[in-house]
Amino acid sequence: MATHEPVAAHHAANAEGISQRTRLYDGRKATHRLHVLIVGCGMGGLAAAHCLGQAGHKVTLFESAAAIGEVGAGIQVTPNVSRLLRRWGVGDNLEAVAVRPEAIVLRRYETGERVAYTRWSDMEDQYGSPYYHIHRADLHKLLFDLAAPFMTLRLKSTVVSVDPEAPSVTLASGEVVHGDLIVGADGVKSMIQRVVLGHTNPAEPTGDAVYRAIIPTEYLLNDPELKPAAYHGL
Ligand SMILES: Cc1cc2nc3c(=O)[nH]c(=O)nc-3n(C[C@H](O)[C@H](O)[C@H](O)COP(=O)(O)OP(=O)(O)OC[C@H]3O[C@@H](n4cnc5c(N)ncnc54)[C@H](O)[C@@H]3O)c2cc1C
């Protein structure tokens, strides 16, 4: 794949026909077709690309990384998100790669004492859509497959500045790309947020750290100490 040349993203995706099944807004298209420049191929950028593309807009998405994907472990897909994914036609795909957790158990770090237990299996009854746990890479792929037919993806394309008036984005290569609208989906250290706010807005360190890991159930079942966790949660 050429590095900073545009690629038709649907050639890169194994789209499995997902977006062909999906039709948003009762098939209505925007009366004015805009060229939307999206910065960032994370979940936010992909969701925006899908919805804007479904509305008939032309989407170009810029991503710093040389390859698409998502790192990390699991992510919680709450009912507000699963409701959207169902509406977007990927409810079955989601169900196939995600799990519906039964409950959450909270324990005191020092002693292991159980301090809270919340049943989660009734989420669908309460909120109208299920609650899932999923691997980040699987969720990213679902969103990528949804967005792929609607966008031109430019990998290795770091946006170094934006001109909201033009509007345009400037890439690290020096190339300036003009559009009608710029969407900043460039993550927690967003450069575009800086342009919008006029100042940096760094996250405040809390001193806390979070570790997240996924352990295959068969490992739990083969370990006498962890075996109960496979059935009742840690
Ligand atoms: C430990 C942890 C656990 C979490 N758990 C959950 C959870 O269970 N459920 C949940 O809903 N959320 C969870 N979140 C939050 C969730 O992960 C984020 O809200 C989400 O990933 C943000 O997606 P995004 O697309 O906005 O940004 P990102 O995923 O950060 O994507 C930004 C993309 O922009 C690209 N980029 C950045 N700058 C530029 C640039 N200048 N030019 C071009 N490309 C650029 C980056 O390479 C990246 O691909 C968790 C977060 C953390 C840290």
Side-chain angles (χ1 to χ4, degrees):
M1 185 182 297
T3 49
H4 30 259
E5 284 172 17
V7 281
H10 56 276
H11 291 314
N14 173 17
E16 296 162 355
I18 288 173
S19 51
Q20 269 67 36
R21 295 202 309 267
T22 321
R23 214 172 61 118
L24 294 186
Y25 322 120
D26 292 328
R28 280 182 300 118
K29 302 292 175 202
T31 41
H32 296 291
R33 187 171 191 254
L34 303 176
H35 181 197
V36 184
L37 311 176
I38 299 180
V39 185
C41 192
M43 298 189 222
L46 289 172
H50 172 242
C51 292
L52 289 163
Q54 285 271 3
H57 298 298
K58 176 183 171 186
V59 174
T60 304
L61 195 148
F62 303 91
E63 169 56 49
S64 307
I68 41 171
E70 176 67 276
V71 289
I75 189 165
Q76 304 168 70
V77 173
T78 44
N80 53 328
V81 177
S82 68
R83 184 178 300 116
L84 282 178
L85 291 168
R86 283 175 154 191
R87 194 179 297 159
W88 296 351
V90 289
D92 291 345
N93 308 65
L94 180 63
E95 184 77 32
V97 290
V99 291
R100 297 185 183 214
E102 203 170 283
I104 183 171
V105 180
L106 301 182
R107 290 185 182 275
R108 198 167 300 290
Y109 179 73
E110 290 86 1
T111 60
E113 180 200 352
R114 187 157 137 169
V115 290
Y117 176 93
T118 307
R119 179 157 290 284
W120 275 349
S121 52
D122 52 359
M123 284 271 199
E124 187 163 8
D125 294 339
Q126 278 194 47
Y127 302 110
S129 197
Y131 171 86
Y132 292 108
H133 282 179
I134 188 172
H135 196 285
R136 270 179 186 268
D138 291 333
L139 181 58
H140 193 270
K141 184 179 182 315
L142 271 183
L143 291 168
F144 186 83
D145 286 347
L146 280 171
F150 300 105
M151 65 180 181
T152 299
L153 173 64
R154 298 192 55 173
L155 297 173
K156 271 197 167 176
S157 296
T158 301
V159 172
V160 290
S161 66
V162 302
D163 179 348
E165 303 302 327
S168 65
V169 299
T170 303
L171 307 184
S173 63
E175 185 190 353
V176 178
V177 183
H178 288 265
D180 300 305
L181 184 72
I182 300 167
V183 175
D186 50 343
V188 73
K189 294 177 184 160
S190 171
M191 182 267 296
I192 294 185
Q193 184 193 49
R194 228 161 39 231
V195 174
V196 172
L197 295 178
H199 57 82
T200 54
N201 186 27
E204 282 182 30
T206 61
D208 299 322
V210 174
Y211 297 89
R212 182 175 263 178
I214 298 172
I215 305 171
T217 311
E218 61 264 26
Y219 290 1
L220 297 180
L221 290 172
N222 287 331
D223 185 304
E225 200 182 334
L226 295 177
K227 193 172 178 179
Y231 298 108
H232 310 298
L234 285 167

